[in-house]
């Protein structure tokens, strides 16, 4: 979430049919929420027999071929997100594209793509969302908090640092989500989650200082933008859940992205400040809109429908790995041992706080 859609990887809530009688079959399965890693098809059935009243669990899952296809789709989607970060860096470094200009153009056209697909898949929901005038202020708030701030801060973080570091810092959004979950459920972090928090803190310190605690290895602006991006990405995981449940993923993301792009237009005026593009830069711009934003999201969601959100969360760590590798290969970034250890610790946090 951006990366929308972040981007964001642990967005699911449980739905249960839980009215239990001696004849009841209870089905529990994962159903996705924001940026919608659509739901797990793995689950269980609890059947209570009429004669004995005892319960037994019947497991069900998709076939191996479907799971393999889902894993492939998730990996491709995550890798495309990672490549998208490096391509954004190349556009900014080599063609003088400003982060605000790129955010405006990407959000506007990606929003149109999301709405077009949403209209094809669920025209009734798209029409309902458009007619719900009372929800317009909420649409505006979600566009500002979840997409505009998230996209701008992410691109600014890439501009001040590099695609690998910015994507790793974005992964810290899981800590904000964890804090929110603990507050709302009135509980303390579990042992595994507490370990993940400690690893994330150590990893962030290593990345920020390069292993030398007496100095900063990254520009302060890069760290500030990275922190802002982590907070905005966590908001994308929490705030639009009701809207997604009502209108669906593509419609919701389309509304948020399009409004955000339109809001930036008067300030950025992308038509009046066109960079000097050539064939290569136009190709990269098309990639970042069509494949890096919309396409990656669609592939990731299709994969989650086959393998479930927990597996997808773990496989989704391919995104920062890809961003780091492509940053080294195509932008000439050199990461020291402390950076690599910090990256590994934060990826470990993602696996623990899933």
């Amino acid at each position: 979430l951006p990366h929308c859609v972040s981007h964001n990887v642990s967005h699911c809530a449980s739905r249960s049919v839980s009215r239990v009688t001696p004849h009841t079959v209870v089905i529990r399965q994962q159903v996705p929420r924001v940026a919608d890693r659509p739901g797990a098809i793995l689950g269980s059935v609890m059947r209570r027999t009429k004669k004995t009243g005892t319960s037994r669990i019947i497991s069900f899952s998709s076939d191996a071929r479907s799971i393999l296809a889902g894993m492939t789709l998730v990996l491709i989607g995550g890798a495309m997100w990672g490549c998208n970060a490096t391509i954004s860096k190349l556009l900014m470094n080599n063609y003088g594209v400003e982060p605000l200009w790129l955010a405006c153009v990407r959000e506007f056209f990606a929003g149109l793509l999301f709405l077009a697909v949403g209209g094809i898949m669920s025209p009734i929901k798209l029409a309902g969302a458009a007619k719900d005038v009372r929800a317009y202020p909420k649409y505006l708030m979600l566009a500002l908090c979840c997409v505009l701030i998230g996209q701008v801060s992410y691109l600014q973080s890439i501009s001040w640092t590099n695609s690998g570091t910015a994507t790793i810092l974005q992964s810290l959004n899981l800590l904000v989500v964890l804090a929110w979950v603990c507050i709302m459920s009135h509980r303390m972090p579990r042992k595994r989650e507490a370990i993940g928090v400690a690893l994330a803190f150590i990893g962030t310190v290593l990345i920020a200082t390069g292993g030398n605690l007496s100095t900063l290895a990254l520009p302060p602006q890069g760290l500030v933008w990275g922190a802002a991006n982590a907070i905005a990405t966590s908001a994308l995981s929490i705030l639009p859940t009701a809207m997604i449940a009502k209108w669906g993923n593509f419609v919701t993301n389309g509304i948020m992205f399009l409004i955000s792009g339109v809001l930036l237009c008067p300030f950025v005026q992308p038509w009046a400040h066109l960079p000097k593009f050539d064939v290569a830069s136009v190709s990269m711009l098309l990639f970042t809109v069509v494949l890096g934003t919309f396409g990656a999201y669609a592939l990731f969601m299709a994969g989650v429908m086959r393998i479930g959100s927990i597996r997808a969360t773990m496989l989704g760590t391919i995104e920062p790995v890809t961003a780091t590798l492509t940053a080294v290969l195509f932008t000439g970034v050199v990461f020291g041992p402390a950076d690599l250890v910090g990256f590994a610790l934060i990826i470990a946090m993602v696996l623990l706080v899933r």
Side-chain angles (χ1 to χ4, degrees):
L1 209 216
H3 263 245
C4 100
V5 239
S6 59
H7 97 37
N8 265 0
V9 283
S10 58
H11 314 314
C12 64
S14 61
R15 180 179 64 185
S16 303
V17 181
S18 54
R19 182 169 171 263
V20 180
T21 69
H23 308 283
T24 297
V25 174
V26 180
I27 301 176
R28 301 183 185 275
Q29 71 180 69
Q30 295 294 323
V31 176
R33 289 255 176 121
V34 134
D36 226 268
R37 297 2 196 181
I41 58 173
L42 303 178
S44 60
V45 177
M46 182 175 72
R47 186 184 300 275
R48 182 169 298 206
T49 62
K50 182 176 180 180
K51 292 183 179 180
T52 64
T54 60
S55 299
R56 60 193 180 96
I57 300 296
I58 306 172
S59 297
F60 64 92
S61 67
S62 59
D63 56 75
R65 182 176 299 177
S66 178
I67 292 177
L68 180 60
M71 294 173 64
T72 303
L73 291 171
V74 167
L75 288 172
I76 294 174
M80 288 169 62
W81 270 324
C83 291
N84 193 29
T86 298
I87 288 176
S88 300
K89 181 68 171 180
L90 289 172
L91 286 170
M92 289 185 278
N93 278 4
N94 299 347
Y95 296 94
V97 176
E98 293 293 329
L100 282 176
W101 189 95
L102 185 56
C104 178
V105 171
R106 190 159 76 180
E107 291 167 21
F108 182 84
F109 287 103
L112 292 178
L113 286 174
F114 278 122
L115 288 177
V117 174
I120 294 171
M121 296 177 62
S122 52
I124 295 176
K125 290 184 177 181
L126 178 59
K131 294 176 182 178
D132 191 2
V133 179
R134 292 184 178 181
Y136 281 14
K138 185 176 182 180
Y139 297 166
L140 179 62
M141 183 271 292
L142 292 175
L144 284 170
C145 297
C146 300
V147 176
L148 192 150
I149 295 176
Q151 287 286 308
V152 171
S153 60
Y154 184 50
L155 290 171
Q156 289 284 4
S157 179
I158 292 174
S159 178
W160 281 100
T161 60
N162 57 75
S163 56
T165 300
T167 306
I168 286 290
L169 293 176
Q170 184 187 60
S171 302
L172 297 175
N173 77 88
L174 288 180
L175 300 183
V176 183
V177 175
L178 173 62
W180 173 264
V181 169
C182 289
I183 291 172
M184 297 304 294
S185 57
H186 306 288
R187 69 171 178 85
M188 295 295 292
R190 299 186 178 96
K191 182 178 179 180
R192 185 180 65 184
E193 295 166 342
I195 294 172
V197 172
L199 293 179
F201 177 77
I202 297 171
T204 304
V205 170
L206 288 175
I207 294 170
T209 63
N212 184 0
L213 300 181
S214 63
T215 184
L216 279 177
L218 293 178
Q221 298 93 328
L223 289 174
V224 172
W225 283 116
N229 177 235
I231 294 172
T233 304
S234 66
L236 184 63
S237 306
I238 298 169
L239 297 181
T241 52
M243 185 175 168
I244 286 176
K246 188 174 183 180
W247 304 124
N249 306 290
F250 283 101
V251 171
T252 300
N253 282 280
I255 290 172
M256 292 191 297
F257 269 76
L258 185 60
I259 291 176
S260 180
V262 170
L263 289 174
L264 285 174
C265 278
F267 303 98
V268 178
Q269 296 183 358
W271 58 87
H273 304 91
L274 289 174
K276 294 181 179 180
F277 283 133
D278 55 19
V279 175
S281 58
V282 170
S283 300
M284 286 190 285
L285 184 61
L286 288 175
F287 177 91
T288 191
V289 173
V290 179
L291 298 179
T293 302
F294 171 79
Y297 174 75
L299 288 174
F300 196 96
M301 287 197 304
V304 177
M305 291 180 67
R306 291 167 172 81
I307 66 173
S309 54
I310 292 179
R311 285 178 177 171
T313 298
M314 293 186 286
L315 293 175
T317 54
I318 190 68
E319 179 187 356
V321 172
T322 305
T324 301
L325 290 176
T326 52
V328 172
L329 293 174
F330 299 109
T331 65
V333 175
V334 177
F335 295 107
D339 297 315
L340 298 178
V341 172
F343 290 178
L345 291 176
I346 291 178
I347 291 175
M349 177 275 296
V350 173
L351 301 178
L352 289 171
V353 188
R354 62 176 185 261

